[in-house]
Every structure is written in structure tokens, then in C-alpha cells.
Amino acid sequence: MKLKIQHKHLSNVADFLQNQIGAKGKKNIHRMRIVNALATKNKLVGEEELALLKEYGKTDDDNELVLNEQGGIQMEDAKEFKKQQEALYDEFFVVDDKNLESALKTVEKLVNEYDKELSGKSAEAHFILCEAFENEEEKGDEE
């Protein structure tokens, strides 16, 4: 079993799992293992995005990003940065560690059994998780 989430959804999905889905005992431990895997990858994606900013943004002599008058980062090639940033966000993170197999099964069950009303980012995160688990089941059926 694996879970495949686009980089742009990592933070929202991790937040949903951590703050919307309640669990106790072993189920909570499994849920937090997946949250931690997503959060760790999201942190790495943030570091990669910062590297892109430094590559396409203006930096000073200390290699620090230069801010514009509005407080944003001065860009040397904003168009190319945006293109590279979107490519980074469109990549997928796949949780397929054999050590997380039971945690993934638990989280899938928690997500599928979640029955509270959702809206906004929480609804989107729930949908993304349901789709990710559903797509994984369909692949398993094909094999």
C-alpha cells in the first residue's frame, strides 16, 4: 500500500490528519506516523523552494534575498521562478515505506470512516486523501 500526494497538498493534508481526524491509542500513533512523514517532506519542499528563490531572486553580498518596497522578494526572473515553483509543487510524494504499511491502512480506514461535515481546505484535504487511497486500490485491482 502507498499514499501519493502532490507537493502542493502536503501541508493541507497533514494539517487535516492532525487536526480534524481524532484517534486514540495505536490508531493515533499510526496517524501521527503518516503526519510526520508528510510534514518532513513538506519541510524539504520548503527548503527546495527557498533554493529556487535564491536562484531566481535577487540576493545581496551575504546571499540573503533582497526585499522590494512591498515586502516581497525582488525577482531577477519571476516568470522562470514561477515555472520552476509550479513544477516543484506538481511533483508527487509517495509514502510507500514497508514500515508504514499498517499506519497507511489505519489512516485509510480513519479517512474513509470520517463522517463529520467539512468545508474549505478540510474538505479538499479529505477529498485528496480519499482519491489517493481509491487510486491505490484501483491499481491493486489491476495487478
Side-chain angles (χ1 to χ4, degrees):
M1 168 172 265
K2 59 183 157 181
L3 178 63
K4 188 175 174 182
I5 304 287
Q6 269 186 307
H7 289 175
K8 63 184 164 191
H9 298 300
L10 289 172
S11 178
N12 188 26
V13 168
D15 182 64
F16 172 76
L17 288 174
Q18 186 168 11
N19 297 313
Q20 294 291 321
I21 293 189
K24 290 182 177 181
K26 189 174 178 181
K27 288 180 181 180
N28 180 53
I29 291 168
H30 284 180
R31 176 181 62 112
M32 289 310 299
R33 285 179 185 165
I34 301 304
V35 167
N36 288 335
L38 296 172
T40 299
K41 181 61 178 183
N42 191 51
K43 183 179 179 199
L44 179 61
V45 171
E47 291 167 4
E48 293 169 341
E49 182 179 28
L50 181 58
L52 287 174
L53 279 168
K54 287 189 174 186
E55 187 174 339
Y56 294 101
K58 248 187 173 149
T59 55
D60 60 19
D61 294 336
D62 297 326
N63 202 28
E64 296 295 321
L65 292 164
V66 177
L67 301 180
N68 60 26
E69 292 171 7
Q70 293 82 24
I73 296 167
Q74 281 188 24
M75 300 302 291
E76 292 198 9
D77 190 350
K79 199 173 193 178
E80 185 61 24
F81 167 74
K82 197 70 177 156
K83 181 178 161 188
Q84 295 296 321
Q85 182 188 42
E86 287 175 11
L88 175 66
Y89 284 161
D90 285 343
E91 290 179 2
F92 284 89
F93 173 55
V94 180
V95 180
D96 63 351
D97 186 334
K98 290 289 181 196
N99 294 317
L100 294 176
E101 188 85 25
S102 59
L104 285 168
K105 287 179 182 175
T106 299
V107 168
E108 178 183 27
K109 190 172 185 188
L110 288 169
V111 167
N112 287 334
E113 291 176 354
Y114 189 80
D115 65 351
K116 293 186 175 92
E117 189 173 319
L118 294 167
S119 62
K121 287 186 175 240
S122 294
E124 181 183 24
H126 185 263
F127 175 77
I128 290 164
L129 283 163
C130 288
E131 288 283 300
F133 284 122
E134 195 173 287
N135 289 338
E136 185 55 32
E137 282 178 17
E138 289 171 6
K139 281 185 183 174
D141 292 344
E142 291 171 7
E143 292 173 2

